[in-house]
Amino acid sequence: MLSTVRWTATLLTGALLCATATLSGQSPTAAECVNGEAGLTSGASAAARSALTRVRWRDAYQDVTGIQAKAGTRAAFDSIVARSEVLLSATTRGEPTPLDSAVGVLLARLQVARRELAAHLANDSLRLKSSFDMSGLEMERDLQVAGRAHLGFDVNVDFDSVPDVASAICASAGAAHAYVRYLLKPQFTAIAKSYADASAHWEMFVHDGYSMTFLERMAASCRFGSLLWIVSPLRNCSNSPDRSLEPPRNQVVFAHPSAALAPLFTRDSLWREMVIVEWYGLMHHAYGATRMRTVGASVAWSYPSAGRSRPGVVVRTPWGSLGAFDRGAGKVYLAVSSDVLVHVPAIRNAARSLKVDALRRATSTIAEK
């Protein structure tokens, strides 16, 4: 998970490796490569300069995305690999250098990345999986030794000994890294949108939804084990982050107390106060852009302030709850009920804890992918 977080941070902060170094007489440094634009020394050949321009993501962006549009993602990535090979050949001029091992490692990792990319495309989608390890295509500066950087955090690249070859390695790794980041950007955007939508839906659930007793919270958080199918048969408790991210769309009402008023319009009383216990029921929440609407029904029992307790039902609508209870002698109480627990701060805070747990669990699962 740590490597994934490190990778994600590098993706977000190292977008276009390379933007500031000039082609003057100064040798490029590791810092310029990692934080800016890879450049060559003034003595570099024209072929090397041309190849560098073809590789740098800033210059090659339209070319690469054009190839992607015409021939596909693998062809576009292959073009980056081919350009990198030309650049490395032009800078080494076929002569052995102290960075030959780093060149070999870079080319090997480009091929591994290509195979991973092809495997993802074979599944018709790019997914964030631990197997897709981008660390081999990142350059990280070694802060302890000036002029050095690491390819994949383990292969040392010395900019002082062979600056042009080092810059070629950096530019090649940077172009491949930027392209994969470009491909994965919709994934990050989709994840961010899903998280924002889920967070907004949880706020609706906490503020506008039915309050939840301890047993109902246990069901909503999938903690009833094998009894869940009885207590909360409609709750989706799979490990999929896409499903656990959102608040419950189907909520179980289980031993839930509420208050109600039943109109009598008799000489001695206009209303009959009663306590209602909704023993078992199901509700469905529909989340909109700014509010949620809830419908459902539950089997309940009324305890009026006068008279015997009676069974009945409670129907939940977007405009309120209405109960119907046996009154005896063939008569029926029609009662308007109110979710009194909604006004208890501790109940609301407990519901908010479900939101925190769900979002934390979902983001942890996403990071591990």
Side-chain angles (χ1 to χ4, degrees):
M1 180 175 175
L2 180 60
S3 63
T4 306
V5 173
R6 195 177 193 182
W7 164 64
T8 303
T10 306
L11 282 177
L12 297 177
T13 57
L16 300 178
L17 293 178
C18 317
T20 55
T22 64
L23 299 179
S24 63
Q26 297 181 347
S27 298
T29 67
E32 289 171 344
C33 175
V34 174
N35 301 320
E37 174 77 26
L40 300 177
T41 62
S42 56
S45 67
R49 292 174 185 274
S50 175
L52 176 65
T53 301
R54 292 280 291 161
V55 166
R56 285 188 302 202
W57 182 247
R58 182 191 64 185
D59 302 308
Y61 174 80
Q62 290 184 341
D63 286 345
V64 174
T65 55
I67 294 172
Q68 177 184 333
K70 293 180 180 179
T73 301
R74 276 171 285 188
F77 191 82
D78 285 345
S79 75
I80 294 176
V81 175
R83 297 174 192 206
S84 300
E85 291 174 344
V86 171
L87 174 59
L88 292 167
S89 176
T91 52
T92 59
R93 300 177 184 178
E95 301 174 0
T97 74
L99 294 180
D100 280 352
S101 61
V103 171
V105 168
L106 171 63
L107 293 177
R109 287 179 173 169
L110 286 173
Q111 292 303 323
V112 171
R114 188 212 184 264
R115 288 196 297 271
E116 292 287 347
L117 187 62
H120 287 280
L121 292 173
N123 295 327
D124 297 324
S125 63
L126 287 169
R127 299 182 184 277
L128 294 176
K129 294 182 179 178
S130 58
S131 61
F132 202 101
D133 185 2
M134 281 293 294
S135 63
L137 299 178
E138 298 169 357
M139 295 291 292
E140 182 179 88
R141 182 184 179 187
D142 187 344
L143 299 179
Q144 304 301 320
V145 182
R148 294 178 183 270
H150 289 298
L151 172 62
F153 309 112
D154 57 0
V155 177
N156 191 40
V157 180
D158 187 349
F159 282 75
D160 291 333
S161 61
V162 193
D164 289 341
V165 178
S167 291
I169 293 172
C170 180
S172 299
H177 179 262
Y179 181 57
V180 174
R181 176 185 178 275
Y182 162 80
L183 293 175
L184 292 177
K185 184 176 180 180
Q187 293 284 334
F188 294 130
T189 302
I191 290 172
K193 184 178 185 305
S194 296
Y195 190 95
D197 289 346
S199 182
H201 292 165
W202 270 107
E203 285 303 311
M204 297 177 195
F205 181 81
V206 171
H207 288 286
D208 303 327
Y210 221 46
S211 65
M212 304 179 76
T213 63
F214 176 74
L215 291 178
E216 291 168 327
R217 290 198 306 275
M218 289 283 287
S221 58
C222 303
R223 294 178 182 174
F224 269 107
S226 59
L227 295 178
L228 188 66
W229 67 276
I230 297 177
V231 181
S232 186
L234 300 182
R235 179 73 172 117
N236 190 339
C237 291
S238 69
N239 292 324
S240 170
D242 294 335
R243 294 174 181 173
S244 61
L245 189 64
E246 287 280 346
R249 293 188 180 275
N250 299 297
Q251 180 183 347
V252 170
V253 178
F254 191 76
H256 191 104
S258 58
L261 290 176
L264 298 179
F265 304 114
T266 60
R267 293 181 179 180
D268 58 338
S269 178
L270 290 178
W271 304 92
R272 177 66 48 82
E273 301 87 4
M274 62 177 62
V275 174
I276 295 175
V277 176
E278 298 177 66
W279 287 110
Y280 198 89
L282 298 175
M283 290 191 293
H284 175 72
H285 306 300
Y287 297 95
T290 58
R291 58 171 299 184
M292 62 177 281
R293 295 180 180 273
T294 301
V295 295
S298 58
V299 176
W301 207 274
S302 67
Y303 299 87
S305 57
R308 297 175 56 187
S309 60
R310 295 286 185 174
V313 296
V314 174
V315 177
R316 171 77 171 177
T317 74
W319 305 275
S321 295
L322 181 66
F325 299 93
D326 179 26
R327 188 175 173 181
K331 297 181 179 180
V332 176
Y333 279 123
L334 291 179
V336 178
S337 66
S338 174
D339 182 21
V340 292
L341 294 182
V342 72
H343 303 293
V344 180
I347 298 294
R348 281 300 185 205
N349 291 335
R352 182 168 280 104
S353 70
L354 291 177
K355 168 189 174 181
V356 174
D357 290 344
L359 296 184
R360 183 186 295 117
R361 182 172 60 253
T363 51
S364 297
T365 305
I366 290 170
E368 290 170 359
K369 294 288 183 181

mmCIF file of all heavy atoms in Angstrom, residues 320-346:
data_model
loop_
_atom_site.group_PDB
_atom_site.id
_atom_site.type_symbol
_atom_site.label_atom_id
_atom_site.label_comp_id
_atom_site.label_asym_id
_atom_site.label_seq_id
_atom_site.Cartn_x
_atom_site.Cartn_y
_atom_site.Cartn_z
ATOM 1 N N GLY A 320 -43.672 12.351 4.764
ATOM 2 C CA GLY A 320 -43.893 12.019 6.165
ATOM 3 C C GLY A 320 -44.332 10.576 6.335
ATOM 4 O O GLY A 320 -44.413 9.819 5.359
ATOM 5 N N SER A 321 -44.626 10.216 7.582
ATOM 6 C CA SER A 321 -45.017 8.832 7.888
ATOM 7 C C SER A 321 -46.460 8.792 8.394
ATOM 8 O O SER A 321 -46.872 9.632 9.197
ATOM 9 C CB SER A 321 -44.091 8.241 8.952
ATOM 10 O OG SER A 321 -42.774 8.138 8.455
ATOM 11 N N LEU A 322 -47.179 7.804 7.926
ATOM 12 C CA LEU A 322 -48.571 7.634 8.320
ATOM 13 C C LEU A 322 -48.771 6.204 8.817
ATOM 14 O O LEU A 322 -48.358 5.243 8.179
ATOM 15 C CB LEU A 322 -49.499 7.894 7.124
ATOM 16 C CG LEU A 322 -51.004 7.768 7.391
ATOM 17 C CD1 LEU A 322 -51.458 8.865 8.351
ATOM 18 C CD2 LEU A 322 -51.789 7.839 6.078
ATOM 19 N N GLY A 323 -49.398 6.087 10.008
ATOM 20 C CA GLY A 323 -49.641 4.776 10.594
ATOM 21 C C GLY A 323 -51.122 4.453 10.633
ATOM 22 O O GLY A 323 -51.975 5.341 10.760
ATOM 23 N N ALA A 324 -51.427 3.175 10.522
ATOM 24 C CA ALA A 324 -52.815 2.698 10.638
ATOM 25 C C ALA A 324 -52.819 1.554 11.645
ATOM 26 O O ALA A 324 -52.096 0.561 11.473
ATOM 27 C CB ALA A 324 -53.325 2.230 9.284
ATOM 28 N N PHE A 325 -53.636 1.699 12.734
ATOM 29 C CA PHE A 325 -53.623 0.720 13.819
ATOM 30 C C PHE A 325 -55.059 0.317 14.189
ATOM 31 O O PHE A 325 -55.987 1.136 14.148
ATOM 32 C CB PHE A 325 -52.923 1.306 15.050
ATOM 33 C CG PHE A 325 -51.489 1.675 14.794
ATOM 34 C CD1 PHE A 325 -51.149 2.969 14.405
ATOM 35 C CD2 PHE A 325 -50.487 0.733 14.925
ATOM 36 C CE1 PHE A 325 -49.839 3.307 14.158
ATOM 37 C CE2 PHE A 325 -49.170 1.067 14.685
ATOM 38 C CZ PHE A 325 -48.841 2.358 14.288
ATOM 39 N N ASP A 326 -55.174 -0.932 14.574
ATOM 40 C CA ASP A 326 -56.467 -1.446 15.017
ATOM 41 C C ASP A 326 -56.891 -0.721 16.293
ATOM 42 O O ASP A 326 -56.123 -0.583 17.236
ATOM 43 C CB ASP A 326 -56.343 -2.946 15.276
ATOM 44 C CG ASP A 326 -57.654 -3.535 15.758
ATOM 45 O OD1 ASP A 326 -58.704 -2.965 15.431
ATOM 46 O OD2 ASP A 326 -57.599 -4.560 16.468
ATOM 47 N N ARG A 327 -58.114 -0.273 16.298
ATOM 48 C CA ARG A 327 -58.620 0.483 17.449
ATOM 49 C C ARG A 327 -59.644 -0.334 18.235
ATOM 50 O O ARG A 327 -60.072 0.043 19.310
ATOM 51 C CB ARG A 327 -59.256 1.779 16.933
ATOM 52 C CG ARG A 327 -59.668 2.770 17.985
ATOM 53 C CD ARG A 327 -60.153 4.027 17.307
ATOM 54 N NE ARG A 327 -60.717 4.978 18.240
ATOM 55 C CZ ARG A 327 -61.243 6.158 17.896
ATOM 56 N NH1 ARG A 327 -61.260 6.499 16.607
ATOM 57 N NH2 ARG A 327 -61.735 6.970 18.787
ATOM 58 N N GLY A 328 -60.009 -1.474 17.670
ATOM 59 C CA GLY A 328 -61.036 -2.291 18.297
ATOM 60 C C GLY A 328 -62.419 -1.909 17.802
ATOM 61 O O GLY A 328 -62.641 -0.785 17.308
ATOM 62 N N ALA A 329 -63.333 -2.822 17.930
ATOM 63 C CA ALA A 329 -64.718 -2.576 17.517
ATOM 64 C C ALA A 329 -64.804 -2.186 16.052
ATOM 65 O O ALA A 329 -65.644 -1.366 15.648
ATOM 66 C CB ALA A 329 -65.351 -1.489 18.395
ATOM 67 N N GLY A 330 -63.863 -2.725 15.264
ATOM 68 C CA GLY A 330 -63.899 -2.457 13.831
ATOM 69 C C GLY A 330 -63.421 -1.082 13.446
ATOM 70 O O GLY A 330 -63.598 -0.674 12.299
ATOM 71 N N LYS A 331 -62.818 -0.349 14.366
ATOM 72 C CA LYS A 331 -62.329 0.994 14.073
ATOM 73 C C LYS A 331 -60.805 0.983 13.902
ATOM 74 O O LYS A 331 -60.123 0.070 14.354
ATOM 75 C CB LYS A 331 -62.716 1.961 15.189
ATOM 76 C CG LYS A 331 -64.228 2.120 15.352
ATOM 77 C CD LYS A 331 -64.541 3.118 16.456
ATOM 78 C CE LYS A 331 -66.043 3.305 16.615
ATOM 79 N NZ LYS A 331 -66.370 4.278 17.695
ATOM 80 N N VAL A 332 -60.305 2.049 13.257
ATOM 81 C CA VAL A 332 -58.870 2.133 12.951
ATOM 82 C C VAL A 332 -58.339 3.493 13.361
ATOM 83 O O VAL A 332 -58.995 4.525 13.150
ATOM 84 C CB VAL A 332 -58.609 1.913 11.441
ATOM 85 C CG1 VAL A 332 -57.127 2.108 11.120
ATOM 86 C CG2 VAL A 332 -59.061 0.522 11.031
ATOM 87 N N TYR A 333 -57.183 3.477 14.018
ATOM 88 C CA TYR A 333 -56.452 4.713 14.272
ATOM 89 C C TYR A 333 -55.650 5.063 13.021
ATOM 90 O O TYR A 333 -54.885 4.240 12.497
ATOM 91 C CB TYR A 333 -55.455 4.544 15.415
ATOM 92 C CG TYR A 333 -56.012 4.647 16.799
ATOM 93 C CD1 TYR A 333 -55.850 3.596 17.699
ATOM 94 C CD2 TYR A 333 -56.664 5.803 17.232
ATOM 95 C CE1 TYR A 333 -56.338 3.682 18.993
ATOM 96 C CE2 TYR A 333 -57.154 5.899 18.520
ATOM 97 C CZ TYR A 333 -56.993 4.842 19.407
ATOM 98 O OH TYR A 333 -57.474 4.931 20.678
ATOM 99 N N LEU A 334 -55.773 6.285 12.531
ATOM 100 C CA LEU A 334 -54.856 6.816 11.526
ATOM 101 C C LEU A 334 -53.964 7.818 12.234
ATOM 102 O O LEU A 334 -54.460 8.815 12.774
ATOM 103 C CB LEU A 334 -55.621 7.474 10.380
ATOM 104 C CG LEU A 334 -56.426 6.529 9.482
ATOM 105 C CD1 LEU A 334 -57.162 7.317 8.407
ATOM 106 C CD2 LEU A 334 -55.513 5.485 8.849
ATOM 107 N N ALA A 335 -52.681 7.541 12.262
ATOM 108 C CA ALA A 335 -51.762 8.348 13.063
ATOM 109 C C ALA A 335 -50.652 8.922 12.200
ATOM 110 O O ALA A 335 -50.133 8.253 11.296
ATOM 111 C CB ALA A 335 -51.159 7.492 14.180
ATOM 112 N N VAL A 336 -50.319 10.171 12.493
ATOM 113 C CA VAL A 336 -49.160 10.811 11.863
ATOM 114 C C VAL A 336 -47.981 10.620 12.802
ATOM 115 O O VAL A 336 -48.013 11.080 13.948
ATOM 116 C CB VAL A 336 -49.420 12.308 11.619
ATOM 117 C CG1 VAL A 336 -48.187 12.960 11.010
ATOM 118 C CG2 VAL A 336 -50.636 12.508 10.733
ATOM 119 N N SER A 337 -46.953 9.923 12.333
ATOM 120 C CA SER A 337 -45.826 9.606 13.212
ATOM 121 C C SER A 337 -44.634 10.514 12.942
ATOM 122 O O SER A 337 -44.499 11.096 11.856
ATOM 123 C CB SER A 337 -45.410 8.142 13.043
ATOM 124 O OG SER A 337 -44.895 7.920 11.754
ATOM 125 N N SER A 338 -43.797 10.606 13.942
ATOM 126 C CA SER A 338 -42.595 11.441 13.853
ATOM 127 C C SER A 338 -41.402 10.663 14.368
ATOM 128 O O SER A 338 -41.482 9.985 15.398
ATOM 129 C CB SER A 338 -42.784 12.715 14.690
ATOM 130 O OG SER A 338 -41.583 13.458 14.732
ATOM 131 N N ASP A 339 -40.302 10.760 13.646
ATOM 132 C CA ASP A 339 -39.059 10.082 14.044
ATOM 133 C C ASP A 339 -38.363 10.927 15.111
ATOM 134 O O ASP A 339 -37.502 11.757 14.806
ATOM 135 C CB ASP A 339 -38.169 9.893 12.820
ATOM 136 C CG ASP A 339 -36.889 9.149 13.148
ATOM 137 O OD1 ASP A 339 -36.847 8.454 14.172
ATOM 138 O OD2 ASP A 339 -35.923 9.280 12.374
ATOM 139 N N VAL A 340 -38.742 10.730 16.372
ATOM 140 C CA VAL A 340 -38.232 11.592 17.447
ATOM 141 C C VAL A 340 -36.739 11.401 17.695
ATOM 142 O O VAL A 340 -36.057 12.316 18.178
ATOM 143 C CB VAL A 340 -39.007 11.327 18.760
ATOM 144 C CG1 VAL A 340 -40.444 11.790 18.620
ATOM 145 C CG2 VAL A 340 -38.947 9.854 19.159
ATOM 146 N N LEU A 341 -36.209 10.223 17.370
ATOM 147 C CA LEU A 341 -34.785 9.984 17.618
ATOM 148 C C LEU A 341 -33.891 10.873 16.760
ATOM 149 O O LEU A 341 -32.708 11.034 17.055
ATOM 150 C CB LEU A 341 -34.447 8.514 17.356
ATOM 151 C CG LEU A 341 -35.083 7.481 18.291
ATOM 152 C CD1 LEU A 341 -34.603 6.094 17.927
ATOM 153 C CD2 LEU A 341 -34.751 7.791 19.746
ATOM 154 N N VAL A 342 -34.471 11.428 15.692
ATOM 155 C CA VAL A 342 -33.680 12.279 14.815
ATOM 156 C C VAL A 342 -33.155 13.509 15.552
ATOM 157 O O VAL A 342 -32.164 14.118 15.156
ATOM 158 C CB VAL A 342 -34.513 12.705 13.591
ATOM 159 C CG1 VAL A 342 -35.570 13.711 13.981
ATOM 160 C CG2 VAL A 342 -33.626 13.284 12.501
ATOM 161 N N HIS A 343 -33.815 13.874 16.645
ATOM 162 C CA HIS A 343 -33.428 15.070 17.382
ATOM 163 C C HIS A 343 -32.410 14.780 18.496
ATOM 164 O O HIS A 343 -32.026 15.689 19.228
ATOM 165 C CB HIS A 343 -34.670 15.728 17.984
ATOM 166 C CG HIS A 343 -35.712 16.076 16.970
ATOM 167 N ND1 HIS A 343 -35.517 17.043 16.013
ATOM 168 C CD2 HIS A 343 -36.955 15.566 16.751
ATOM 169 C CE1 HIS A 343 -36.602 17.138 15.249
ATOM 170 N NE2 HIS A 343 -37.483 16.249 15.676
ATOM 171 N N VAL A 344 -31.999 13.539 18.634
ATOM 172 C CA VAL A 344 -31.007 13.176 19.654
ATOM 173 C C VAL A 344 -29.615 13.281 19.030
ATOM 174 O O VAL A 344 -29.302 12.525 18.100
ATOM 175 C CB VAL A 344 -31.250 11.748 20.175
ATOM 176 C CG1 VAL A 344 -30.215 11.388 21.232
ATOM 177 C CG2 VAL A 344 -32.671 11.627 20.729
ATOM 178 N N PRO A 345 -28.764 14.213 19.491
ATOM 179 C CA PRO A 345 -27.444 14.406 18.862
ATOM 180 C C PRO A 345 -26.614 13.128 18.793
ATOM 181 O O PRO A 345 -25.925 12.878 17.802
ATOM 182 C CB PRO A 345 -26.788 15.463 19.755
ATOM 183 C CG PRO A 345 -27.936 16.202 20.375
ATOM 184 C CD PRO A 345 -29.003 15.177 20.579
ATOM 185 N N ALA A 346 -26.659 12.319 19.844
ATOM 186 C CA ALA A 346 -25.840 11.103 19.858
ATOM 187 C C ALA A 346 -26.240 10.151 18.737
ATOM 188 O O ALA A 346 -25.394 9.455 18.164
ATOM 189 C CB ALA A 346 -25.968 10.407 21.212
#
